[in-house]
Amino acid sequence: GVSGSGQTDFGPQLKSLNKQLFTIVAWDPRGYGKSIPPSRDFPLDFFERDAKDAVDLMQALQFKKFSLLGWSDGGITALIAAAKYPALIHKLVVWGANASVTQEDVRIYNGIRDVSKWSEKVRKPLEEMYGHKYFAETCEAWVDGISRFAEKPDGSICQQLLPDIKCPTFIIHGGKDPLVPQAHAEYIHKHVKGSRLLVMPEGKHNLHLRFAEDFNRQVEDFLR
């Protein structure tokens, strides 16, 4: 997700997912976490770039086939990777993801542009990792970068790629997600053939942290 890293975003997963069943690789996209330098930027193809980086990394680590778990921006990245590299992806889990950007989404994104208005609980680990200046500037650049998709036909980020996803796909969505309206999860579910959708009624955008035990169990059952 925006400004996220394996370390700040997936603590309960890195700690508690079953290491006897799975090898877990958490990576930081370029410009995030420990993948600095370079500084993060948001060209129009930043999701495609992240998807290629993720796949290139897994191949460099000599994994012939692997499953992808992606949250928020990472969910979009995972959808693109699964569509573009179908022979490599075993299964796919995405949550808090969207395949397009509406004008309503742009309004929501502008509501989080100023990181000083974020809750301290969410802001503090990111400020500790990046320093206030880099974190604040990156968030503003992200809002500008993702908002540009709203100018494209249907606001598409990767809508046209969804039918190309062939692997078993599990979409999870928080019923109270303030950042990504549920219609986005339903759209992905409708256009990824054979996918499964789970709505967690009390879940917000960070449902994998707030309801980590339930989330981890659902994901492990799906990936087995």
Side-chain angles (χ1 to χ4, degrees):
V2 57
S3 300
S5 72
Q7 192 181 328
T8 56
D9 286 4
F10 299 108
Q13 284 68 50
L14 295 174
K15 181 171 175 245
S16 301
L17 282 173
N18 189 330
K19 311 295 191 305
Q20 288 165 321
L21 285 178
F22 309 111
T23 299
I24 300 163
V25 178
W27 73 292
D28 294 348
R30 61 175 81 183
Y32 284 159
K34 293 183 175 159
S35 297
I36 302 172
S39 293
R40 182 69 180 179
D41 62 349
F42 299 94
L44 262 176
D45 67 343
F46 74 92
F47 285 116
E48 278 84 1
R49 183 180 70 183
D50 286 350
K52 185 175 186 308
D53 283 349
V55 168
D56 286 351
L57 171 67
M58 293 303 279
Q59 291 192 301
L61 294 172
Q62 300 189 321
F63 289 96
K64 289 186 171 62
K65 205 160 186 181
F66 47 90
S67 294
L68 291 170
L69 278 67
W71 173 41
S72 201
D73 273 18
I76 300 169
T77 300
L79 290 167
I80 292 169
K84 288 196 163 183
Y85 309 96
L88 301 175
I89 312 305
H90 177 53
K91 290 184 179 181
L92 175 65
V93 183
V94 296
W95 65 105
N98 47 300
S100 64
V101 175
T102 66
Q103 290 302 328
E104 170 64 7
D105 295 327
V106 172
R107 188 189 65 74
I108 293 169
Y109 301 150
N110 277 298
I112 65 161
R113 178 185 287 275
D114 181 356
V115 297
S116 67
K117 294 178 180 166
W118 290 28
S119 75
E120 190 182 354
K121 189 180 175 188
V122 175
R123 191 181 71 238
K124 199 175 172 195
L126 294 165
E127 284 187 333
E128 283 172 1
M129 172 167 281
Y130 295 113
H132 177 77
K133 184 172 184 287
Y134 185 87
F135 172 44
E137 288 175 354
T138 302
C139 186
E140 285 202 26
W142 174 82
V143 171
D144 292 338
I146 197 163
S147 295
R148 287 207 303 274
F149 288 100
E151 297 156 19
K152 295 177 75 175
D154 297 325
S156 179
I157 301 173
C158 61
Q159 288 177 324
Q160 73 288 357
L161 292 176
L162 298 181
D164 296 337
I165 296 172
K166 306 297 184 216
C167 63
T169 300
F170 186 19
I171 302 148
I172 306 173
H173 199 77
K176 295 182 175 177
D177 189 331
L179 200 59
V180 180
Q182 190 170 315
H184 285 300
E186 289 166 354
Y187 182 93
I188 295 167
H189 174 46
K190 184 179 174 187
H191 290 86
V192 176
K193 197 174 176 185
S195 63
R196 182 178 149 208
L197 172 63
L198 169 70
V199 176
M200 297 175 73
E202 296 301 311
K204 294 187 179 176
H205 197 57
N206 64 345
L207 57 86
H208 64 297
L209 303 176
R210 172 96 188 275
F211 300 104
E213 204 172 310
D214 187 17
F215 175 88
N216 287 1
R217 190 182 71 252
Q218 296 274 1
V219 168
E220 282 183 357
D221 287 349
F222 175 74
L223 292 176
R224 277 174 206 268

